[in-house]
Amino acid sequence: MTKETKSPLPSEHDLDTGDDRIIGVALKWSLVVMLVGGILVGGVIGGIWWMRRKPVSLAPPPKVELPQERELGTITVPQVRFVDVTKDCGIDFVHYNGAYGEKLLPETMGSGCVVFDYDGDGDQDILLINCTRWPWDPRPAPASLPTMALYANDGTGHFTDATDEAGLAVSLYGMGGAAADCDNDGDVDLFVTAVGPNRFFRNEGGRFVDATAESHLAGADDAWSTGATWFDYDRDGRLDLFVCNYITWSRENDRLQGFKLDGRIRAYGPPSAFEGAFGYLYHNEGNGRFKDVSAEMGVQVLNPASGAPMAKSLGVTPCDVDRDGWVDLVIANDTVQNFFFHNQQGKRFVEKGALTGIAFDPDGYARAAMGIDTAYFRNDDTLGVVIGNFAGEMTALYVKESDFLNFVDSAVATGLGPPTRSILTFGVFFFDYDLDGRYDIFSTNGHLEEDIQKVQVSQHYRQPCQLFWNAGSEGTTEFVEVEAESHGGDLARRIVGRGSAYGDFDGDGDLDLVVTENGGPVRVFRNDQQTGHHFVRVRLVGKSDNRDGLGALVELKVAGRIHRAIVCPTKSYLSQAELPVTFGIGDQTQVEGLTIHWPRGSVQHVESVEIDRLNVIEQAE
């Protein structure tokens, strides 16, 4: 049995001594009374003040002037037909990607092309890079392995297969190529990137000799090289070489990832699942030998989070972005930030992609970048860098309008971006297809996955090429997508597009196209423009500078305006365009002069310039 105990009540003695609990209760009630009274008194006083207040004079609201509506001009896109002449011109190449069901990532990433004059006859020839059979392919071996293909131009746009006689019937898992006279002997040499060792072929009078071993340009046996470019980074007159490496890849690692498209279908995996890879920078030591200077020259960028190589590079373009006389490098990276390697007077490169605004999209995200090119597309000091991106990501157009190293992505503002959002763009470049004096843009498109439409209804494996006309000040936007009725329709045929380049194949002055297809036939499109526009073509021959004049800036003055061209055939995706530069000059029939800023700093003025023909200009002594 529990005994209940009650707390004793406070006694009179306790109250006299001032118990804190009793005082606290009394204090709380006193504060409540004072607060209520204060509110009532304040309300009375406030009401009296409100009744007797003087009215305040309010200023009228500011007048809002609405902007006047701009009168929009009518855009008239020129009618310029591009005709597929592949069968008629003698080219029957079909790209082989080695795929047999394992869905290994390199299979969907080729193929490149190179437009160059390999035999020195003045015509633009075409080299098509090919893949080969995987060494572990379980299928019966074919009688012969696939090889690259070289087609010699007769000057009229008709080609003959010259692969065997030129010494290029070589089988490798090739990606892209870069051609230049790197030993200044008058013959154009050739570098080919690959999964595995790269190859260097020295040109000896129109026949190529494999000089990979003596040149030290093979790279690592397990590397995957993609884009490459020749340029003279230290201004010693000899062409150096930069080579992009994509990812650290192996068959075993690829298969272990277990990539699935819809949970069942084996798929090509994204590069984000693989570690990055450092690119190569080779210094030309002379005598056909090169030295890997990548580490000491600052082109090896680490991922700050993992400490692994950051780069996953596909495209590269050399360009003296700040016009300080030293050629810089812009690198297109896939799923990681783009790079801008700022040349520190030939002593070192400093990566400034984020600082210059070229690293990310406008929202600060990295995109899946592929092809790349640069041009002064407004015929002033405005420099544009165009980069092709993945489906769902617009093609980027980074624009630099001032002397500062500052780019802004103006793809939306110029009209280029919206029509490219649903397309997966690989090859992309500037060129003036209608010779009106403004650089237009061409892009080659195609998806990675043959079954992509099973999971994304809006996507297609085969996609049309896109042509954008530069309307300049004539339209509401600068770049207007050219519809099929204006270009003839052949460009609109769906393909699995990858590499692309341009060249004047038939010698009529306008620029024709070559487009490669992964696992499919190459296509050659003849430019049949009939605008009556004139042109000036220029090919440089260096003396103290590199013989090709790579890195030079050519300025043509026409009707008081300066047209600029960078001598740089490296552009698009894994590809290279012709070496001569072509200026469209529209209806003008005279030019006021031409100025060449040679790579090593000398400036040469040429007064006598002929229109509607090729001007071969040798460097002044």
Side-chain angles (χ1 to χ4, degrees):
M1 182 175 179
T2 304
K3 184 178 180 180
E4 182 177 350
T5 305
K6 297 183 179 180
S7 299
L9 294 175
S11 65
E12 186 178 349
H13 174 77
D14 293 326
L15 293 175
D16 289 343
T17 57
D19 184 90
D20 291 339
R21 289 173 295 175
I22 303 302
I23 295 174
V25 172
L27 180 59
K28 287 178 183 179
W29 279 106
S30 299
L31 290 175
V32 169
V33 173
M34 292 174 62
L35 178 60
V36 172
I39 292 174
L40 293 174
V41 173
V44 174
I45 296 174
I48 296 172
W49 172 84
W50 177 260
M51 296 297 294
R52 295 183 177 182
R53 80 190 193 287
K54 294 182 180 179
V56 179
S57 176
L58 298 177
K63 184 179 180 181
V64 178
E65 295 186 4
L66 298 176
Q68 295 181 351
E69 291 188 8
R70 184 177 58 177
E71 293 185 6
L72 303 180
T74 301
I75 299 175
T76 304
V77 177
Q79 302 289 310
V80 175
R81 288 176 56 85
F82 281 91
V83 181
D84 188 339
V85 295
T86 312
K87 292 182 179 179
D88 296 334
C89 75
I91 293 180
D92 58 359
F93 175 84
V94 177
H95 177 255
Y96 177 82
N97 60 19
Y100 65 94
E102 281 197 326
K103 287 286 188 84
L104 303 176
L105 186 54
E107 296 166 357
T108 193
M109 298 302 290
S111 59
C113 60
V114 179
V115 176
F116 70 134
D117 182 10
Y118 88 94
D119 51 3
D121 64 355
D123 306 320
Q124 299 303 313
D125 311 303
I126 299 175
L127 175 71
L128 300 168
I129 308 299
N130 210 355
C131 300
T132 191
R133 173 188 172 90
W134 290 118
W136 50 78
D137 190 336
R139 298 174 298 179
S144 60
L145 293 175
T147 71
M148 297 182 290
L150 176 66
Y151 289 91
N153 190 352
D154 68 357
T156 68
H158 188 270
F159 295 85
T160 303
D161 192 331
T163 312
D164 289 326
E165 65 186 69
L168 290 179
V170 178
S171 182
L172 76 167
Y173 207 96
M175 286 282 116
D181 184 3
C182 64
D183 51 8
N184 292 326
D185 66 350
D187 297 319
V188 184
D189 310 298
L190 177 65
F191 179 79
V192 179
T193 62
V195 177
N198 300 316
R199 299 289 187 89
F200 173 67
F201 299 93
R202 185 176 63 248
N203 191 338
E204 296 184 352
R207 181 168 179 81
F208 291 92
V209 176
D210 192 331
T212 307
E214 62 192 72
S215 68
H216 307 294
L217 290 176
D221 290 345
D222 60 352
W224 177 357
S225 298
T226 50
T229 188
W230 296 97
F231 72 128
D232 183 7
Y233 76 82
D234 58 352
R235 305 202 325 183
D236 63 356
R238 296 190 298 264
L239 288 174
D240 311 300
L241 179 67
F242 184 86
V243 182
C244 296
N245 282 322
Y246 187 33
I247 56 175
T248 301
W249 180 87
S250 68
R251 178 199 182 198
E252 292 73 22
N253 191 18
D254 201 329
R255 294 178 66 190
L256 285 173
Q257 302 293 334
F259 301 113
K260 303 291 183 181
L261 189 64
D262 61 352
R264 297 180 298 105
I265 303 173
R266 168 70 178 173
Y268 291 111
S272 56
F274 300 89
E275 193 174 87
F278 291 137
Y280 303 134
L281 177 60
Y282 294 104
H283 181 259
N284 190 337
E285 302 284 294
N287 301 318
R289 287 175 170 78
F290 293 80
K291 179 183 177 182
D292 188 341
V293 295
S294 309
E296 57 261 43
M297 289 300 297
V299 298
Q300 295 183 340
V301 181
L302 293 173
N303 187 319
S306 65
M310 179 184 288
K312 298 180 181 180
S313 306
L314 291 172
V316 55
T317 183
C319 176
D320 182 5
V321 171
D322 55 356
R323 305 273 294 274
D324 65 350
W326 300 89
V327 182
D328 312 299
L329 289 172
V330 186
I331 313 290
N333 283 321
D334 190 357
T335 69
V336 298
Q337 67 181 69
N338 300 319
F339 292 158
F340 170 62
F341 287 120
H342 192 208
N343 192 338
Q344 308 295 294
Q345 299 186 350
K347 299 180 178 65
R348 188 172 176 82
F349 287 90
V350 177
E351 203 290 298
K352 297 182 178 180
L355 291 175
T356 57
I358 210 166
F360 305 105
D361 73 2
D363 294 322
Y365 294 99
R367 289 183 278 205
M370 268 72 79
I372 188 170
D373 194 19
T374 57
Y376 290 94
F377 68 97
R378 288 176 178 160
N379 292 328
D380 55 19
D381 289 331
T382 302
L383 179 67
V385 178
V386 62
I387 299 179
N389 293 307
F390 205 80
E393 301 171 339
M394 292 182 292
T395 291
L397 181 58
Y398 296 102
V399 177
K400 174 181 166 303
E401 296 181 314
S402 67
D403 292 335
F404 299 102
L405 282 174
N406 182 36
F407 285 91
V408 175
D409 190 346
S410 300
V412 173
T414 59
L416 176 66
T420 66
R421 184 184 293 277
S422 62
I423 297 292
L424 202 167
T425 298
F426 276 88
V428 63
F429 54 76
F430 293 98
F431 78 137
D432 185 0
Y433 76 90
D434 62 337
L435 303 177
D436 65 351
R438 298 188 296 267
Y439 286 110
D440 312 299
I441 293 177
F442 178 80
S443 70
T444 310
N445 312 306
H447 211 281
L448 303 178
E449 293 288 349
E450 187 172 1
D451 298 313
I452 187 61
Q453 201 171 22
K454 293 181 179 180
V455 294
Q456 295 182 29
V457 178
S458 62
Q459 281 299 309
H460 298 272
Y461 183 48
R462 301 178 182 278
Q463 300 179 359
C465 299
Q466 287 179 298
L467 180 65
F468 294 90
W469 180 60
N470 187 340
S473 60
E474 297 179 19
T476 59
T477 59
E478 286 183 88
F479 291 102
V480 181
E481 185 175 10
V482 182
E483 301 296 336
E485 57 266 23
S486 295
H487 63 59
D490 285 358
L491 291 178
R493 294 174 184 166
R494 293 177 178 271
I495 63 172
V496 188
R498 294 295 184 263
S500 56
Y502 61 79
D504 180 14
F505 299 134
D506 52 5
D508 63 355
D510 55 37
L511 300 176
D512 311 300
L513 298 171
V514 55
V515 176
T516 69
E517 181 173 2
N518 181 270
V522 68
R523 287 172 171 79
V524 177
F525 298 97
R526 187 183 64 219
N527 186 337
D528 282 351
Q529 64 89 22
Q530 300 292 327
T531 61
H533 291 161
H534 300 285
F535 63 88
V536 173
R537 285 170 58 81
V538 177
R539 180 168 67 83
L540 303 182
V541 179
K543 298 292 186 180
S544 59
D545 276 274
N546 71 84
R547 187 174 177 83
D548 292 331
L550 298 187
L553 179 65
V554 183
E555 298 180 329
L556 184 72
K557 190 173 183 180
V558 182
R561 194 162 192 176
I562 302 297
H563 299 247
R564 293 178 173 87
I566 304 166
V567 181
C568 173
T570 304
K571 54 189 78 250
S572 186
Y573 175 75
L574 307 177
S575 300
Q576 178 170 310
E578 66 172 7
L579 185 60
V581 296
T582 298
F583 293 97
I585 59 173
D587 298 330
Q588 300 298 318
T589 57
Q590 291 183 337
V591 298
E592 299 165 39
L594 185 143
T595 301
I596 303 163
H597 300 265
W598 290 91
R600 301 182 73 187
S602 65
V603 179
Q604 182 175 350
H605 300 283
V606 180
E607 300 298 332
S608 178
V609 179
E610 298 187 53
I611 68 169
D612 296 335
R613 60 158 293 174
L614 175 67
N615 296 261
V616 179
I617 301 174
E618 294 189 355
Q619 186 175 14
E621 299 290 346

